[in-house]
């Protein structure tokens, strides 16, 4: 079972967040979505879980591009990587296309 968010006041008025793994709350009442996401993301590593298939490409992007966690082998996507490929192909394609829009100042 994958980690998930549980909200305290409904989606439109969220002021309390919880993270659940295996139907157990990990940390009671977080006040913001960012700490809740941090706990949620960390749960994948602490409990050595594979990413949920519906979110695998997004979480792989967060892991590799935003958090710079780039293991030499293995993947949390749950799919056996193609020979010689450790990164989700959709993430590679996105990063190539996205890099065309990045501003790099010339020094």
């Amino acid at each position: 079972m994958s980690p998930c968010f549980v909200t305290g006041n409904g989606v439109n008025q969220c002021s309390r967040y919880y993270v659940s793994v295996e139907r157990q709350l990990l940390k009671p009442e977080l006040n913001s979505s960012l700490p809740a996401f941090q706990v949620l993301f960390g749960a994948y590593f602490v409990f050595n879980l594979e990413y949920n298939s519906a979110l695998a490409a997004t979480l792989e992007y967060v892991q590799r591009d935003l958090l710079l966690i780039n293991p030499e082998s293995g993947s949390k996507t749950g799919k056996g990587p193609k020979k010689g490929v450790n990164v989700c192909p959709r993430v590679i394609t996105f990063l190539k296309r996205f890099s065309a829009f990045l501003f790099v100042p010339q020094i």
Side-chain angles (χ1 to χ4, degrees), residues 28 51 103:
Y51 293 145
F103 173 74

Side-chain angles (χ1 to χ4, degrees), residues 6-17 31-33:
V6 179
T7 61
N9 293 1
V11 177
N12 295 332
Q13 302 174 303
C14 256
S15 63
R16 295 180 301 176
Y17 296 84
N31 297 338
S32 169
S33 60

Side-chain angles (χ1 to χ4, degrees), residues 26-44:
L26 296 183
K27 184 175 182 180
E29 203 167 318
L30 297 157
N31 297 338
S32 169
S33 60
L34 180 58
F37 181 78
Q38 291 169 331
V39 171
L40 174 92
F41 193 81
Y44 282 101

Side-chain angles (χ1 to χ4, degrees), residues 41 54-63 91:
F41 193 81
L55 299 172
T58 301
L59 293 172
E60 181 108 2
Y61 166 74
V62 170
Q63 172 193 324
V91 173

Side-chain angles (χ1 to χ4, degrees), residues 72-89:
E72 291 184 24
S73 64
S75 176
K76 293 202 155 297
T77 60
K79 298 176 183 173
K82 295 179 182 174
K83 190 174 183 179
V85 177
N86 291 327
V87 182
C88 175

Side-chain angles (χ1 to χ4, degrees), residues 61 64-66 68 91-106:
Y61 166 74
R64 295 182 182 277
D65 196 54
L66 300 180
L68 303 176
V91 173
I92 293 171
T93 302
F94 171 77
L95 291 175
K96 285 180 182 177
R97 291 178 182 172
F98 184 70
S99 67
F101 295 99
L102 293 177
F103 173 74
V104 179
Q106 299 295 322

